[in-house]
Structures are given as C-alpha cells and as structure tokens.
C-alpha cells in the first residue's frame, strides 16, 4: 500500500482544518489544500459524540466594565481576585437607589444571560433588563444560591457554585432584550432594588448568547465573538466512525423557528408536562426538555408552520427514554382534519435521531410529537411517556441533514464548498487516477457528485452517484463525452460506505468500486482538468457527502493497484 501512496500527488485524509481551509497531507507545500466556504454557522458531531454548535458572546467588553458599560449610582474597581484565581474580577459598589451597571444590547428569541458573582457587603444581585420594551428584574441570593424575586417568569434560571463563594448565574428568556443592567437589592426583593442605599459585590465574565443554557466563557472587547463551527469552518464529523469524515452538505433551512424551546410558539395537547432544561441533550449540555404524558389521553406539543403544497419535507427529532423502552409519535397534520403523516418510534435509553419524510398536500401544518401509539389523526391508543426530547427540525428535502438550531426564527445553513481552483501539477495532462472513500448518508435531488475535476465539457471528469443508486464515471474532452462507465441500478444502499477509484489515459478508462472492477473503455481522448472539487459539482443541485479520504494521482494506476485501494 505504501508504494501506491508514494505515487499520489494529493492525499486528503480529514484531520487538519482552519477557517476557509482544508489541509491535505500531500503535497506538503500547501498546493493541495482545498479552499473552503459556507458563509454560515453549522453543527457537527465532534470526537466526543456530542453535537457541536457555534458558540458566542454578544455582549461587548464582557469583562471590562469601565468602557462601554455605564454606571448609575455605582462605581467599578478592577483588579479583584476572580473565580478563576486571576485578578480579572471587578468590585461593583452601589451608593443609592437603582444602583446598577448598564450595558447596551439587542437580541431577540431565546437567549441566556450569565455572569459570575460573589457577595461582599451586599448579598443580592439584580439582573435588570429592558425586556419586550418594559423594565424587568430577576434577583439572586449570592450567599444561598437561590432566586429570590422576579417580575417576569424566565424560561429557566440557575445558580452554579464555582468555588470560593463565587456563583455563575444563568437567566434564560424568550423575547426581545434592549438593555442589560447588573444591579443591587437590599433585601432580595425588587423593592430592595428600588430603595437600595449602599453596598457592593464582585462580578466577572458577563455573557449573552442565544440558546437555553450558558456555555463556556468567551471574553469580548469591542465586538461580539463567535467560536466553534462558525462561518466557513470545515466540519470534521464523527457521526459514522471514531475517525472523522469531511462533512459537505447542500443548503438547507430549518423552517421550525423554535427547535429546542417548546414554549410560546408551541402549544400543549392537554395531557402533558413539559420541563425545559431538565436533562443532558445530545450537545452534552442541560438543555434537553422532559416530556411526560399518561395513557389517560393525548399529550404532547404542536406548532403551526407554513409549507408548500406538493413539496417534500423531512422532520427530524432527538429523543431518549428516562425509563426503559418507550414509544413516541412524530409527524405533521392539519388540526387532525387532514393528517399528512406520522410515525411511532421506539425510544430507548440512548439518544437517537428519528426522521420522517412527508410530501405536503396543503399549505399549512401542525408539526407535533405526542404519546399516540396507533390510530389515525389525533385519536388512538395513548401511552405513558417519560423522556427527553431535543432539536425538532423541518427542512425541505427527502432526507435529514445535520442539525440546524433555531431560537425564534428559521435558520439557513448554506452549502459547503471545497475547491482547488488551480491544481498545477496535481493533475497531469491526459492521464490520472482518483480515489475516494465516502459514506453515502443521503442522495440529493439529482444524486451526489463526490468528485469534479475541471469545469465545463472541454476538460472534465466527474463521479456521479445517481438517484437510482447507480455509480457513474464520465470523462469529457473538447466539448464531447469521451467515456462513461457505470454500475447497474440499485448497486448501493443509503448508509453504505463506498471506496471508488477511476483511472484514465487516452483510449484507456476504468472504474473500481469496493474492490470490484465495474468496467473498462478502450476508446476516447483523456481530458486535462485544471481545477478540482470534492463533495460538489459546479451547481448547487449536486452536492454533499461525508468524505473519509480523497487521493489524486498524476498517472494511470494499474488495475491491481485500483483493486487494492478500493477493497473494503
């Protein structure tokens, strides 16, 4: 095998990436690195098996409280000992009524505010907000670690002891935040904020992010900061293996505006108890929702969304039982009058992703999950349910793609693009070989094209996985098709791993799949492509793939070498 790899001009085994770049192991000059673009955030399954999202802190100067922050009847002093052992904490000292530190922010949807704090001469911290255009307060006890007063019920709140009498306070709301203040209360009541006289406590690392929970601290200066799988960050995905695959997907939109928070936009069916942030989700964070229902009647949640008549959509949803194997029904209907489709799934004590594909026959749906075991519409046999649920996605298409989180509005993940615009010596004139190892997790509308060398028909090779589950290689030169080699229909199944190699030179074309010779052609002029794409053709309708390895050779490998490369 080593001798075959020695012949390669490019070897890409997904491992090294940075923003806008996928590194190849060969050539070491960097000439074989792929330029990557997506221009939106995305998610992946990381090496720990958890869904990884974009992280963020939308607050400016998140731990520099004497810059854009403003004081009201208060002052701040830097250089205090913090929860992390540094001298990066601040003393907030209040000297009169409504004592607070004010920051200007703007965010809508589901969001979480967090800050680290420690009592000094005052025990009560007030998170004071302009929320939905009205001043609101939630007050926390920095000694006993409890919430003591509020005038707007939050989605969730939490205090975590982080050591040395420091707490991390989290407050989650759904609405519009126009400003954020860190204030003081004399006695743990809102009245104690209004009538405050004097006192102080310590603060450090304020954060504002969309979602149901606070994540790792991100420190900002003059602008918001994002981390994780941000714009143009390639995704090394561990869904199918302990080794990563390069995940390249088409553009998709989650049209469900609230994928994790089952309140406000969602409606109850009558026989359910819904508890936000009850358990650990597939993210590894405490933002999974508990769903409880009994056999006494229909329980669950539904939400109305607009869909296009005649369009195919795929619903996807995560669930985990809290007690043995249970059942959960997921689907869409029109108020029980015109059911569009539903399926009852077995839910085990491990997280699973369930999908249901439905073609709409109307312009509006109630997407739902419930405890109906069988029966049409909204009636049938009801089940006892006690489980965690997370991540309800609705996307146009015949299969589910990676999770697209939403917090109050639909979200689009753009197409992944990976290209070497000028291949130089990587692709030789009129000869070469390509090898790809790919997981076929889906086929797009027109199939899947994992390799495209060249552009247009003047000098082009592409590998096409067609919707009829045909694997086809085509070579073009001088504007005309020179050779085509293909398998029979139904050659592979969704979920298969395929190792495919194609080689060519003048009057000599060949393709192998999983160690098997598919076909040869001894007539045709070989092309000389000068660009290379993986996981995409030249149009957005042919895209996607989970690529385990890609290799290019500037020579026509022998059939024996091709068979060795592709053997599973």
């Amino acid at each position: 095998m080593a001798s075959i790899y020695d012949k390669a001009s490019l070897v890409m085994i997904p491992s090294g990436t940075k923003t806008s770049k996928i590194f190849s192991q060969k050539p070491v000059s960097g000439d074989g690195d792929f330029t990557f673009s997506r221009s939106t955030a995305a998610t992946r399954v990381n090496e720990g098996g958890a869904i990884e999202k974009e992280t963020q802190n939308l607050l400016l100067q998140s731990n520099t409280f004497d810059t854009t922050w403003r004081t009201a009847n208060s002052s701040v002093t830097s250089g205090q000992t913090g929860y992390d052992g540094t001298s990066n904490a601040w003393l907030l000292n209040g000297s009169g009524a409504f004592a607070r530190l004010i920051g200007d922010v703007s965010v809508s949807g589901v969001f979480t505010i967090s800050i680290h704090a420690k009592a000094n001469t005052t025990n009560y911290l007030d998170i004071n907000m302009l929320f939905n255009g009205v001043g609101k307060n939630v007050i926390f006890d920095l000694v006993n670690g409890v919430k003591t007063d509020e005038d707007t019920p939050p989605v969730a709140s939490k205090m975590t002891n982080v050591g040395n009498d420091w707490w991390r306070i989290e407050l989650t709301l759904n609405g519009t935040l126009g400003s954020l203040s860190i204030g003081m209360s004399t006695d743990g009541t809102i009245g104690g904020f209004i009538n405050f006289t004097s006192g102080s406590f310590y603060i450090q690392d304020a954060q504002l992010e969309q979602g149901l929970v606070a994540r790792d601290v991100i420190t900002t200066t003059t602008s918001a900061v994002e981390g994780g799988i941000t714009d143009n960050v390639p995704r090394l995905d561990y869904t199918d293996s302990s080794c990563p695959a390069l995940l390249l997907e088409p553009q998709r939109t989650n049209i469900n505006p609230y994928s994790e928070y089952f309140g406000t936009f969602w409606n109850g069916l009558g026989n359910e108890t819904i508890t936000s942030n009850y358990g650990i989700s597939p993210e590894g964070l405490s933002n999974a929702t508990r769903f409880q229902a009994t056999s006494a009647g229909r329980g669950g949640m539904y939400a109305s969304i607009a869909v296009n008549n005649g369009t195919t959509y795929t619903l996807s949803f995560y669930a985990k039982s809290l007690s043995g194997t249970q059942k959960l029904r997921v689907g869409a209907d029109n108020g029980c009058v015109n059911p569009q489709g539903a399926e009852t799934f077995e839910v085990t004590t491990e997280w699973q992703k369930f999908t249901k594909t439905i073609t709409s026959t109307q312009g509006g749906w109630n997407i739902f999950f419930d405890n109906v075991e069988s029966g049409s519409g909204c009636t049938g046999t009801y089940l006892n349910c006690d489980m965690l649920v997370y991540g309800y996605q609705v996307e146009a298409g015949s299969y589910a793609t990676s999770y697209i989180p939403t917090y109050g509005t639909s979200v689009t993940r753009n197409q992944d693009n990976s290209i070497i615009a000028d291949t130089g010596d990587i692709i030789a004139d009129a000869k070469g070989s390509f090898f790809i190892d790919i997981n076929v997790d889906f086929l797009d509308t027109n199939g899947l094209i994992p390799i495209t060398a060249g552009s247009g028909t003047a000098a082009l090779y592409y590998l096409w996985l067609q919707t009829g589950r045909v694997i086809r290689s085509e070579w073009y030169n001088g504007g005309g098709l020179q050779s085509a080699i293909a398998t029979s229909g139904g050659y592979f199944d969704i979920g298969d791993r395929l190792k495919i190699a194609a080689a060519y030179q003048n009057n000599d074309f060949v393709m192998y799949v999983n160690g098997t010779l598919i076909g040869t052609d001894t007539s045709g002029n070989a092309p000389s492509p000068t660009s290379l794409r993986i996981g995409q053709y030249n149009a957005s309708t042919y895209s996607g793939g989970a690529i385990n390895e890609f290799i290019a050779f500037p020579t026509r490998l022998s059939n024996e070498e091709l068979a060795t490369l592709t053997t599973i």
Side-chain angles (χ1 to χ4, degrees):
M1 180 65 74
S3 62
I4 300 177
Y5 278 83
D6 289 342
K7 295 179 179 181
S9 54
L10 184 151
V11 177
M12 193 287 294
I13 302 172
S15 56
T17 66
K18 68 175 184 179
T19 302
S20 302
K21 191 69 67 176
I22 301 165
F23 298 116
S24 294
Q25 286 71 22
K26 185 178 181 180
V28 295
S29 64
D31 291 343
D33 296 341
F34 287 85
T35 298
F36 177 85
S37 63
R38 185 183 53 247
S39 73
T40 56
T43 66
R44 67 160 183 162
V45 175
N46 65 22
E47 53 269 39
I51 293 174
E52 182 179 346
K53 298 176 179 174
E54 179 184 60
T55 58
Q56 59 189 195
N57 188 353
L58 302 176
L59 284 177
L60 308 187
Q61 305 289 359
S62 62
N63 197 48
T64 313
F65 297 117
D66 59 353
T67 51
T68 56
W69 294 79
R70 306 185 309 278
T71 56
N73 290 331
S74 64
S75 61
V76 290
T77 305
S78 62
Q80 310 299 309
T81 301
Y83 69 93
D84 54 359
T86 69
S87 57
N88 294 332
W90 296 72
L91 181 68
L92 177 61
N93 186 72
S95 56
F98 301 99
R100 63 199 189 277
L101 178 66
I102 308 164
D104 293 322
V105 296
S106 179
V107 66
S108 295
V110 178
F111 61 87
T112 296
I113 301 162
S114 64
I115 188 167
H116 293 78
K118 177 181 177 179
N120 190 35
T121 60
T122 296
N123 297 345
Y124 300 102
L125 181 149
D126 176 18
I127 294 182
N128 171 256
M129 305 159 286
L130 182 64
F131 180 65
N132 291 338
V134 180
K136 297 292 182 179
N137 302 264
V138 182
I139 299 177
F140 297 88
D141 182 343
L142 298 178
V143 173
N144 298 302
V146 295
K147 179 176 62 177
T148 58
D149 200 4
E150 63 187 27
D151 57 8
T152 182
V155 171
S157 63
K158 181 180 179 181
M159 295 185 72
T160 303
N161 190 326
V162 294
N164 297 321
D165 298 321
W166 280 88
W167 298 88
R168 189 180 193 188
I169 297 169
E170 300 179 39
L171 179 65
T172 302
L173 298 112
N174 177 41
T176 300
L177 182 68
S179 69
L180 170 65
S181 298
I182 304 163
M184 298 181 170
S185 172
T186 300
D187 57 4
T189 67
I190 295 171
F193 166 62
I194 297 170
N195 300 314
F196 187 79
T197 55
S198 64
S200 63
F201 52 63
Y202 301 96
I203 57 173
Q204 188 178 1
D205 289 335
Q207 188 150 303
L208 172 65
E209 56 198 300
Q210 290 203 291
L212 285 166
V213 292
R215 293 175 286 181
D216 291 345
V217 168
I218 297 175
T219 302
T220 66
T221 54
T222 57
S223 61
V225 174
E226 288 81 26
I229 311 301
T230 58
D231 295 9
N232 300 321
V233 171
R235 292 179 287 170
L236 301 185
D237 188 86
Y238 290 78
T239 298
D240 296 311
S241 172
S242 59
C243 295
L246 177 63
L247 184 59
L248 302 170
E249 292 184 303
Q251 178 175 303
R252 286 291 180 89
T253 299
N254 186 356
I255 63 174
N256 171 22
Y258 286 92
S259 63
E260 296 172 18
Y261 175 49
F262 298 102
T264 305
F265 175 73
W266 290 81
N267 302 279
L269 291 166
N271 178 41
E272 70 285 321
T273 301
I274 299 294
T275 309
S276 296
N277 289 3
Y278 182 87
I280 303 299
S281 77
E283 279 186 75
L285 300 173
S286 295
N287 58 348
T289 297
R290 188 182 190 184
F291 164 47
Q292 296 168 281
T294 70
S295 59
R298 188 184 184 207
M301 303 298 290
Y302 73 94
S304 299
I305 61 170
V307 292
N308 295 320
N309 192 358
T311 298
T312 297
Y313 295 87
T314 296
L315 285 57
S316 57
F317 193 69
Y318 294 86
K320 172 185 176 178
S321 168
L322 291 173
S323 178
T325 299
Q326 300 181 43
K327 291 184 178 181
L328 176 73
R329 192 173 71 155
V330 178
D333 61 35
N334 187 16
C336 302
V337 176
N338 183 19
Q340 284 293 286
E343 185 170 350
T344 300
F345 299 97
E346 285 201 349
V347 180
T348 70
T349 54
E350 299 294 328
W351 279 108
Q352 301 167 83
K353 183 177 183 178
F354 302 102
T355 65
K356 177 65 177 178
T357 299
I358 311 168
T359 299
S360 173
T361 60
Q362 57 205 46
W365 270 352
N366 287 331
I367 56 173
F368 67 84
F369 60 91
D370 65 19
N371 66 336
V372 176
E373 179 182 19
S374 61
S376 61
C378 302
T379 61
T381 303
Y382 306 113
L383 299 170
N384 294 320
C385 287
D386 189 4
M387 62 183 65
L388 298 177
V389 294
Y390 170 89
Y392 204 124
Q393 184 156 308
V394 183
E395 56 190 310
S398 60
Y399 58 91
T401 63
S402 60
Y403 177 48
I404 304 171
T406 60
Y407 306 114
T409 186
S410 63
V411 173
T412 297
R413 180 201 60 240
N414 286 346
Q415 181 180 12
D416 298 290
N417 297 288
S418 180
I419 186 172
I420 301 175
D422 184 358
T423 54
D425 295 333
I426 290 171
I427 300 178
D429 289 340
K431 62 180 177 180
S433 304
F434 297 110
F435 165 78
I436 197 161
D437 179 347
I438 186 170
N439 299 319
V440 187
D441 295 327
F442 58 84
L443 288 176
D444 212 347
T445 306
N446 294 305
L448 183 70
I449 294 187
I451 306 170
T452 303
S455 179
T457 58
L460 173 69
Y461 164 74
Y462 63 83
L463 174 66
W464 186 9
L465 277 61
Q466 298 175 298
T467 54
R469 290 180 284 131
V470 173
I471 303 171
R472 181 179 178 88
S473 282
E474 292 190 6
W475 291 265
Y476 289 81
N477 191 21
L481 177 65
Q482 299 296 310
S483 179
I485 299 173
T487 67
S488 57
Y491 192 83
F492 63 91
D493 293 319
I494 303 299
D496 282 357
R497 180 178 182 180
L498 299 176
K499 291 187 174 184
I500 306 168
Y504 60 95
Q505 59 188 7
N506 286 333
N507 302 318
D508 185 5
F509 303 84
V510 64
M511 182 172 72
Y512 275 78
V513 177
N514 291 353
T516 299
L517 173 64
I518 301 304
T520 61
D521 188 350
T522 58
S523 176
N525 295 319
S528 300
T530 59
S531 63
L532 181 62
R533 295 176 185 266
I534 53 174
Q536 187 188 9
Y537 187 55
N538 299 310
S540 60
T541 50
Y542 299 85
S543 63
I547 297 172
N548 303 308
E549 186 175 10
F550 172 77
I551 309 175
F553 301 85
T555 185
R556 197 282 198 200
L557 295 180
S558 69
N559 286 10
E560 292 76 16
E561 290 170 323
L562 297 171
T564 299
L565 269 176
T566 58
T567 297
I568 294 289

